[in-house]
């Protein structure tokens, strides 16, 4: 049975509207789309109607389609952060002798963390669908590791900027 979802993307280019539809398209089986241009004063943009189907596929549980949270991330930088946090989660799980990494948190939580670079410890503890897992117990360790990764990234970017500046100065010295 087909289902429908409607999206509106304003002409001003609101990136959150684009992110919303991109996330939706990555996580559903799309049958077809219908686009209409809206030109009504301040409501200029495009309205998109998506016809989609939830089809049970291998890897689904309880009739729910498994979502590839890594693929749902918008940038390569977010995917890199996701991968690093996933590695940390596996290491933490092994150290704590847990059944699996999902016991620390779900991929959904890692994706939520990397999509919000200014996330706080309290926000991590209150992420949706964290009731039945130990996310609250491991939130401090996840938050600390995330901050460490971000600081490493900032240091590397600062070093690259310094190296580039030094190279530019060296290039401008006449011989």
């Amino acid at each position: 049975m087909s289902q429908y979802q409607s999206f509106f993307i304003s002409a001003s280019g609101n990136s959150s509207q684009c992110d919303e539809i991109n996330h939706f398209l990555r996580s559903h089986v799309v049958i077809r789309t219908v686009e209409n241009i809206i030109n009504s004063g301040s409501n200029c943009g495009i309205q998109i109607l998506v016809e989609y189907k939830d089809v049970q596929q291998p890897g689904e549980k309880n009739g729910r389609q498994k979502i590839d949270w890594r693929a749902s991330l918008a940038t390569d930088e977010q995917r890199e952060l996701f991968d690093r946090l996933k590695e940390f989660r596996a290491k933490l799980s092994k150290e704590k002798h847990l059944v699996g990494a999902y016991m620390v948190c779900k991929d959904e939580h890692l994706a939520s963390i990397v999509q919000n670079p200014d996330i706080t410890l309290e926000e991590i503890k209150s992420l949706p669908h964290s009731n039945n897992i130990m996310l609250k117990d491991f939130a401090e360790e996840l938050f600390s590791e995330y901050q460490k990764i971000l600081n490493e990234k900032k240091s590397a970017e600062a070093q690259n900027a310094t190296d580039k500046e030094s190279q530019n100065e060296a290039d401008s010295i006449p011989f």
Side-chain angles (χ1 to χ4, degrees):
M1 174 178 253
S2 294
Q3 298 180 51
Y4 298 89
Q5 178 71 37
S6 177
F7 296 93
F8 180 77
I9 300 176
S10 66
S12 63
N14 184 333
S15 65
S16 66
Q17 293 169 332
C18 294
D19 291 343
E20 179 186 1
I21 190 168
N22 286 332
H23 174 70
F24 180 87
L25 293 173
R26 284 188 203 108
S27 59
H28 291 84
V29 177
V30 176
I31 297 170
R32 69 183 175 115
T33 61
V34 177
E35 300 86 16
N36 291 314
I37 295 174
I38 307 294
N39 190 2
S40 172
S42 63
N43 288 333
C44 294
I46 189 165
Q47 181 179 17
I48 303 169
L49 178 66
V50 179
E51 181 181 2
Y52 67 98
K53 193 175 220 177
D54 285 329
V55 178
Q56 188 167 355
Q57 297 184 11
E60 289 184 10
K61 295 181 180 177
N62 302 326
R64 299 171 94 192
Q65 184 175 1
K66 183 176 179 181
I67 298 172
D68 182 356
W69 290 100
R70 186 183 188 284
S72 72
L73 298 171
T75 66
D76 288 338
E77 180 180 347
Q78 287 178 339
R79 286 185 281 279
E80 178 186 337
L81 289 170
F82 179 87
D83 292 342
R84 296 232 2 229
L85 282 178
K86 198 168 179 177
E87 289 171 12
F88 174 75
R89 177 183 69 176
K91 179 182 157 200
L92 185 61
S93 170
K94 190 173 184 176
E95 286 174 2
K96 302 293 182 178
H97 305 288
L98 300 174
V99 174
Y102 66 90
M103 296 292 291
V104 174
C105 67
K106 299 176 183 178
D107 285 354
E108 171 184 3
H109 300 121
L110 296 180
S112 295
I113 292 168
V114 302
Q115 288 172 334
N116 181 1
D118 299 323
I119 197 165
T120 66
L121 176 59
E122 291 306 314
E123 289 171 329
I124 291 174
K125 287 181 179 180
S126 64
L127 286 171
H129 307 113
S130 61
N131 306 2
N132 299 326
I133 60 172
M134 296 188 234
L135 176 61
K136 289 173 179 54
D137 294 338
F138 297 111
E140 288 183 32
E141 290 165 283
L142 276 170
F143 180 72
S144 176
E145 183 68 15
Y146 183 58
Q147 293 302 312
K148 179 181 149 194
I149 292 169
L150 290 179
N151 289 335
E152 287 173 5
K153 192 160 184 50
K154 286 178 187 174
S155 294
E157 288 171 358
Q159 184 62 43
N160 286 342
T162 302
D163 292 347
K164 196 172 200 175
E165 188 175 298
S166 297
Q167 182 62 40
N168 288 341
E169 288 176 8
D171 290 345
S172 65
I173 298 173
F175 289 99

